[in-house]
């Protein structure tokens, strides 16, 4: 029995009704040569700069060089399976990374692929890794602090939300420790942290992750890792990917901290890519746009005004110097891009000054605007006093006879220096910093032996928590010192000095414990 033409047409109509095919326009080219993570492609007439290209076996690349007769692309990931003659397609898309709440607590590579064996990451949204920074009109002045928990930084080189503060120094001077301390100190606060590890060995990244996990900091942290074993292309895009993940939260009105550790290795990776892409080298073999490489990343740090959500993204880039040379090409570039620098010096580190902060050339261009009033009240003169102390100490080595004022300044400077020492991964809350720095600045430690200053500090904090309950909480609440709080701090410090065995001090009752009538009198 034959099938009629009408039946055939009915079947075709039925099939066509359910047929849904979207039109995809794609250029198709062929690999001419591949090696060193770079593919030369012939035939992609309409490829765009920075466009995502699709290679066989779900491999992707970035079109970076658009030449007259070919396109040179960097391959994102492994390229061992690609061969001459393989087909390459344009995608019409820029490079994007997954973003969202699901990334918190995870370790991912710059493409958003998980590296921590905790299963797939379910995110619905992606954002481009490269984005134009917020304009001046959309920004707001930086006026609230990022508390690092490091006394020397919070007191003298404060970091504001939306600021870009460079951390610079030689290898093994504690640069990563500053970042990790700052992240740990955000526990229980409203700051989301993103730590981008560029060109480090996998063991270092694992150590950072383990430290954050131990201190309960991974709950609000994303680690983006492009290790030394990863291709240069991933090390190049890693900071941009971390920044895009942070911008997702900033656009929701949240506060974000991005740590880039470190941008020297990103510049090295970019130099390697540029050499293999046959781009002409400039100074120190870096390509001419290496300044733009870092400036377009760090400009994305901003504090947005209320009309744009009021979120902020703070950038803490790290730069590694060689033999304390801050005048080298990449360090000077990033110094000129950022709003100040925290300079860590190897000889201070080796002398036991941890953090090894050089007060003389460290600076924050936001300054007191990024401090609470209480910290400004107790640390206003601290930076100047310490800088003068360092100068005097160098001069006093050659002087046999010193006048009383100089000797007193040296004695106090030595104690303040000791007071600012701090163990790693033990950030200090704001109220404790204020209490301790007030005591040091007012001369309460002048008769305490230098070797016992840290013992005094530990005992003083313990005393405040046990016998002067409510004082630290009140400082935290008010974030400013009034006459009543000054009186309470003076009474507490005098009483503790008496207990500690410092001459010339008497026990004093806490003014807050006195009856209201007595206070009026």
């Amino acid at each position: 029995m034959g099938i009629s033409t009408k039946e055939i047409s009915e079947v075709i109509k039925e099939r066509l009704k359910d047929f849904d095919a979207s039109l995809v326009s794609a250029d198709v080219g062929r690999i001419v040569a591949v090696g060193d993570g770079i593919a030369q492609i012939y035939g992609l007439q309409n490829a765009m700069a920075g466009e995502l290209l699709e290679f066989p076996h779900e491999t992707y690349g970035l079109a970076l060089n658009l030449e007259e007769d070919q396109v040179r692309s960097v391959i994102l990931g492994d390229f061992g399976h690609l061969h001459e003659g393989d087909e390459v397609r344009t995608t019409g898309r820029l490079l994007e990374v997954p973003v969202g709440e699901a990334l918190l607590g995870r370790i991912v590579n710059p493409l958003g692929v998980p590296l921590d064996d905790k299963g797939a990451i379910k995110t619905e949204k992606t954002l481009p890794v490269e984005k134009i920074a917020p304009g001046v009109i959309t920004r707001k002045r930086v006026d609230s602090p990022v508390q690092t928990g490091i006394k020397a930084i919070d007191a003298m080189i404060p970091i504001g939300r939306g600021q870009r503060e460079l951390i610079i120094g030689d290898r093994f001077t504690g640069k990563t420790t500053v970042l990790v301390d700052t992240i740990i100190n955000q526990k229980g606060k409203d700051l989301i942290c993103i730590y981008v590890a560029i060109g480090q060995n996998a063991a270092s990244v694992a150590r950072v992750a383990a430290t954050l996990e131990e201190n309960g900091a991974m709950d609000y942290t994303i680690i983006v890792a492009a290790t030394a074993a990863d291709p240069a292309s991933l090390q190049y895009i890693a900071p941009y990917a971390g920044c895009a993940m942070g911008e997702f939260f900033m656009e929701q009105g949240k506060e974000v901290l991005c740590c880039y550790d470190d941008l020297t290795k990103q510049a090295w990776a970019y130099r390697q890519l540029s050499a293999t892409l046959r781009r002409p080298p400039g100074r120190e073999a870096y390509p001419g746009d290496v300044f733009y490489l870092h400036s377009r990343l760090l400009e994305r740090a901003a504090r947005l005004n209320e009309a744009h959500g009021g979120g902020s993204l703070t950038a803490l880039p790290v730069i590694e110097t060689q033999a304390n040379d801050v005048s080298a090409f990449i360090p000077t570039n990033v110094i000129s891009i950022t709003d100040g620098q925290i300079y860590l010096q190897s000889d201070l580190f080796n002398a036991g000054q941890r953090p090894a902060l050089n007060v003389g050339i460290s600076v924050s261009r936001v300054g007191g605007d990024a401090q609470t009033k209480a910290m400004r009240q107790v640390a206003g003169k601290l930076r100047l006093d310490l800088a003068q102390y360092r100068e005097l100490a160098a001069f006093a080595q050659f002087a046999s006879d010193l006048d009383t004022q100089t000797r007193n300044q040296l004695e106090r400077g030595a104690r303040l220096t000791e007071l600012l020492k701090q163990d790693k991964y033990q950030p200090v809350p704001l109220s404790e910093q204020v209490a301790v720095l007030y005591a040091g600045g007012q001369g309460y430690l002048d008769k305490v032996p230098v070797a016992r200053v840290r013992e005094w500090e530990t005992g003083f904090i313990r005393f405040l928590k046990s016998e002067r309950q409510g004082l630290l909480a009140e400082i935290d609440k008010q974030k400013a010192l009034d006459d009543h709080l000054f009186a309470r701090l003076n009474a507490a410090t005098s009483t503790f000095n008496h207990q500690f065995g410092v001459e010339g001090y008497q026990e004093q009752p806490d003014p807050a414990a006195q009856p209201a009538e007595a206070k009026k009198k």
Side-chain angles (χ1 to χ4, degrees):
M1 182 182 166
I3 300 172
S4 70
T5 313
K6 191 177 179 185
E7 285 175 312
I8 292 171
S9 69
E10 288 297 328
V11 170
I12 291 170
K13 279 179 188 172
E14 195 62 39
R15 294 280 172 88
L16 285 174
K17 199 187 290 178
D18 300 330
F19 180 72
D20 179 33
S22 53
L23 184 66
V24 177
S25 172
D27 263 17
V28 179
R30 300 269 171 195
I31 295 177
V32 177
V34 63
D36 298 322
I38 304 293
Q40 295 176 43
I41 305 153
Y42 175 78
L44 295 182
Q45 296 297 321
N46 298 312
M48 299 178 289
E51 185 176 1
L52 201 60
L53 302 179
E54 189 178 352
F55 291 85
H57 310 295
E58 294 187 350
T59 303
Y60 290 90
L62 265 185
L64 288 185
N65 274 27
L66 306 182
E67 296 166 18
E68 199 173 337
D69 56 346
Q70 66 180 3
V71 171
R72 287 183 201 264
S73 162
V74 306
I75 300 156
L76 303 169
D78 185 36
F79 56 90
H81 59 281
L82 299 179
H83 305 286
E84 185 183 335
D86 282 351
E87 195 176 87
V88 184
R89 292 173 178 267
T90 57
T91 61
R93 292 186 292 129
L94 295 171
L95 179 60
E96 296 179 329
V97 288
V99 295
E101 305 273 350
L103 286 160
L104 293 173
R106 301 299 299 269
I107 304 171
V108 296
N109 79 359
L111 300 173
V113 177
L115 303 173
D116 53 7
D117 300 326
K118 290 183 182 176
I121 297 172
K122 296 184 176 71
T123 58
E124 295 172 3
K125 192 172 180 186
T126 60
L127 282 179
V129 295
E130 295 270 16
K131 189 178 174 188
I132 295 173
V136 175
I137 305 300
T138 64
R139 295 179 184 237
K140 181 183 173 186
R141 71 192 287 269
V142 174
D143 58 6
S144 51
V146 172
Q147 295 290 348
T148 64
I150 300 167
K151 288 173 287 188
I153 293 174
D154 288 345
M156 296 183 288
I157 306 109
I159 300 167
R161 297 190 177 198
Q163 193 180 346
R164 301 153 299 179
E165 184 77 13
L166 172 63
I167 296 164
I168 187 168
D170 280 12
R171 290 186 72 200
F172 304 118
T173 49
K175 300 185 297 297
T176 301
T177 304
V178 169
L179 299 180
V180 175
D181 275 346
T182 305
I183 294 172
I184 292 170
N185 195 49
Q186 306 316 314
K187 188 175 181 181
K189 298 187 176 74
D190 59 346
L191 211 60
I192 290 164
C193 303
I194 294 158
Y195 176 79
V196 184
I198 310 158
Q200 299 179 29
N201 58 46
S204 299
V205 181
R207 269 198 302 274
V208 169
T211 305
L212 294 177
E213 195 78 63
E214 280 168 29
N215 290 278
M218 277 305 286
D219 298 342
Y220 50 86
T221 304
I222 304 168
I223 295 180
V224 181
T227 62
D230 286 326
S233 55
L234 289 183
Q235 293 179 40
Y236 157 60
I237 65 163
Y240 301 109
C243 189
M245 291 171 189
E247 280 173 335
F248 167 78
F249 295 105
M250 178 177 74
E251 287 165 5
Q252 291 185 332
K254 296 180 180 176
E255 315 273 356
V256 186
L257 174 72
C258 270
C259 306
Y260 307 114
D261 192 9
D262 66 84
L263 293 187
T264 303
K265 293 190 179 72
Q266 192 213 8
W268 291 349
Y270 189 61
R271 179 169 59 182
Q272 180 185 326
L273 281 182
S274 299
T276 48
L277 284 166
R278 307 285 170 87
R279 290 182 175 177
R283 183 171 160 192
E284 294 179 31
Y286 289 102
D289 63 341
V290 74
F291 180 92
Y292 181 54
L293 176 80
H294 290 145
S295 64
R296 71 180 190 261
L297 167 72
L298 295 172
E299 276 298 313
R300 288 159 72 177
R303 181 168 170 78
L304 299 178
N305 58 30
E306 299 306 323
H308 292 82
S312 74
L313 191 148
T314 309
L316 291 184
V318 172
I319 287 289
E320 184 182 296
T321 52
Q322 311 287 327
N324 290 329
D325 184 11
V326 290
S327 63
F329 184 39
I330 297 299
T332 47
N333 274 355
V334 186
I335 284 171
S336 64
I337 293 163
T338 48
D339 304 313
Q341 68 270 356
I342 292 166
Y343 181 43
L344 303 175
Q345 210 165 349
S346 46
D347 50 354
L348 290 175
F349 186 86
N350 296 333
Q353 182 68 35
R354 315 277 170 86
L357 194 70
N358 181 322
V359 182
I361 69 168
S362 296
V363 64
S364 169
R365 297 194 185 107
V366 176
D369 284 355
Q371 279 179 315
T372 58
K373 189 178 177 187
M375 185 57 88
R376 278 202 304 276
Q377 287 171 294
V378 300
K381 284 178 62 207
L382 182 64
R383 187 160 181 260
L384 188 63
D385 288 348
L386 276 178
Q388 286 177 343
Y389 160 69
R390 295 259 164 89
E391 291 294 321
L392 278 175
F395 168 74
Q397 291 175 338
F398 308 104
S400 54
D401 191 25
L402 297 171
D403 62 273
T404 310
Q405 187 182 351
T406 305
R407 194 178 296 111
N408 289 344
Q409 205 167 349
L410 285 170
E411 291 290 335
R412 183 170 294 186
R415 283 157 179 78
L416 286 174
T417 301
E418 196 67 23
L419 199 61
L420 291 174
K421 288 183 181 177
Q422 195 169 331
D423 294 330
K424 64 180 183 179
Y425 312 144
Q426 290 182 11
V428 180
L430 173 70
S431 54
E432 293 178 20
Q433 289 188 36
V434 168
V436 165
L437 291 173
Y438 175 76
Q442 294 298 312
Y444 284 102
L445 277 85
D446 289 359
K447 294 180 182 175
V448 176
V450 176
R452 295 192 68 195
V453 165
R454 297 193 72 189
E455 180 194 337
W456 181 95
E457 181 191 358
T458 307
F460 182 52
I461 295 300
R462 197 185 305 122
F463 167 80
L464 289 177
K465 287 178 178 175
S466 60
E467 296 189 35
R468 290 288 193 268
Q469 291 175 353
L471 176 54
L472 294 176
E474 201 172 335
I475 294 172
D476 259 333
K477 184 182 172 185
Q478 292 192 21
K479 292 188 169 48
L481 300 177
D482 52 22
D483 292 343
H484 178 58
L485 279 175
F486 278 128
R488 290 190 70 186
L489 275 171
N490 286 328
T493 319
S494 296
T495 302
F496 179 72
N497 271 3
H498 177 74
Q499 293 178 7
F500 196 75
V502 183
E503 287 180 23
Y505 289 95
Q506 299 297 320
E507 287 207 23
Q508 293 184 25
D510 186 357
Q514 295 174 23
E517 293 80 23
K519 280 186 195 174
K520 283 175 189 170
K521 286 175 191 174

